[in-house]
Amino acid sequence: EVQLLESGGGLVQPGGSLRLSCVGSGFNLGSYAMSWVRQAPGKGLEWVSVISGNGGNTLYADSVKGRFTISRDNSKNTLFLQMNSLRAEDTAVFYCARQKQWLKAVDYWGQGTLVTVSS
Amino acid sequence: SALTQPPSASGSPGQSVTISCTGTSSDVGGYNYVSWYQQHPGKAPKLVIYEVNKRPSGVPDRFSGSKSDNTASLTVSGLQAEDEADYYCSSYAGSNNLCVFGTGTKVTVL
């Protein structure tokens, strides 16, 4: 059974940093493009970043470019999102997502981890 | 920018509801890579349609998708109480661009 389990969320002050992790099980993470998608409270879904299976290609939303870094360790079946210079508007549930192909549909989602940026 | 969906849609049990998703020739109209996701409150999204009209294994055939020009549509036939949820479309937007989501539609089963 395919499962994605995020961790690392929590309360952080504006300007602070946080590192999210997503461990995949039941499949070979290295065979898939992986994404982070977020959802602010009461709002819609927003694609944050995507990384190719071998980590060679990455894309970022303009809203996080230069502040967030996506990476992966395929040997540990783990996806990461390093978030720096956090702002109040980054407050959201962050979902780890597996894509069927590069930039195509997400076929599996994690349960999400809440990031709250507040003083 | 985000694809445009109606904020809400509704129908009685057994009826059908259709949700539209309007983009541009750079996303919806340019490719056959539109997906639809169902999200119940407090839960992660779930894929119900991919590549415009394909259903993942386990998704009832009550869910169907189509596309015409820059607008994609999701139809839920034979509405059931468990279909009450938020629905989001998403489209491929080129190999060097992140996919784009729709604004979301809340479906209510009356």
Side-chain angles (χ1 to χ4, degrees):
Chain A
E1 180 190 7
V2 170
Q3 290 190 329
L4 297 168
L5 185 61
E6 304 98 333
S7 62
L11 175 63
V12 61
Q13 292 188 338
S17 298
L18 216 51
R19 190 193 198 201
L20 305 184
S21 300
C22 169
V23 177
S25 59
F27 70 105
N28 178 11
L29 192 109
S31 297
Y32 293 87
M34 297 294 296
S35 287
W36 288 99
V37 175
R38 69 182 178 183
Q39 187 170 34
K43 302 298 184 181
L45 300 171
E46 179 190 15
W47 232 290
V48 174
S49 184
V50 61
I51 186 168
S52 60
N54 64 8
N57 291 310
T58 59
L59 291 173
Y60 297 91
D62 287 343
S63 56
V64 307
K65 205 170 291 183
R67 301 187 298 123
F68 290 12
T69 302
I70 192 171
S71 62
R72 62 194 301 159
D73 184 342
N74 289 338
S75 68
K76 296 181 179 178
N77 250 31
T78 304
L79 174 73
F80 302 101
L81 185 68
Q82 177 66 43
M83 304 186 294
N84 299 329
S85 303
L86 283 161
R87 307 166 180 167
E89 54 264 34
D90 294 319
T91 294
V93 173
F94 282 73
Y95 294 103
C96 167
R98 189 184 88 166
Q99 295 186 258
K100 294 171 72 68
Q101 297 175 61
W102 174 249
L103 298 179
K104 304 302 193 308
V106 170
D107 57 357
Y108 286 94
W109 299 76
Q111 85 290 346
T113 186
L114 176 62
V115 172
T116 302
V117 184
S118 174
S119 55
Chain B
S1 58
L3 307 176
T4 301
Q5 297 180 233
S8 63
S10 62
S12 299
Q15 291 187 330
S16 295
V17 64
T18 297
I19 305 165
S20 62
C21 168
T22 301
T24 69
S25 58
S26 296
D27 38 61
V28 174
Y31 311 94
N32 288 322
Y33 289 113
V34 176
S35 316
W36 289 91
Y37 302 92
Q38 176 192 63
Q39 186 180 33
H40 289 108
K43 300 294 186 182
K46 172 190 172 185
L47 180 67
V48 294
I49 292 288
Y50 67 101
E51 293 177 13
V52 176
N53 56 15
K54 297 179 181 178
R55 275 188 316 276
S57 174
V59 173
D61 59 6
R62 303 185 292 102
F63 291 84
S64 61
S66 62
K67 192 189 82 164
S68 177
D69 297 328
N70 296 339
T71 298
S73 298
L74 172 72
T75 298
V76 185
S77 306
L79 271 173
Q80 299 183 4
E82 60 261 36
D83 299 331
E84 185 162 293
D86 292 326
Y87 291 83
Y88 294 90
C89 62
S90 179
S91 175
Y92 178 77
S95 61
N96 292 317
N97 299 303
L98 284 175
C99 297
V100 59
F101 280 111
T103 49
T105 298
K106 181 175 180 60
V107 169
T108 301
V109 180
L110 302 171

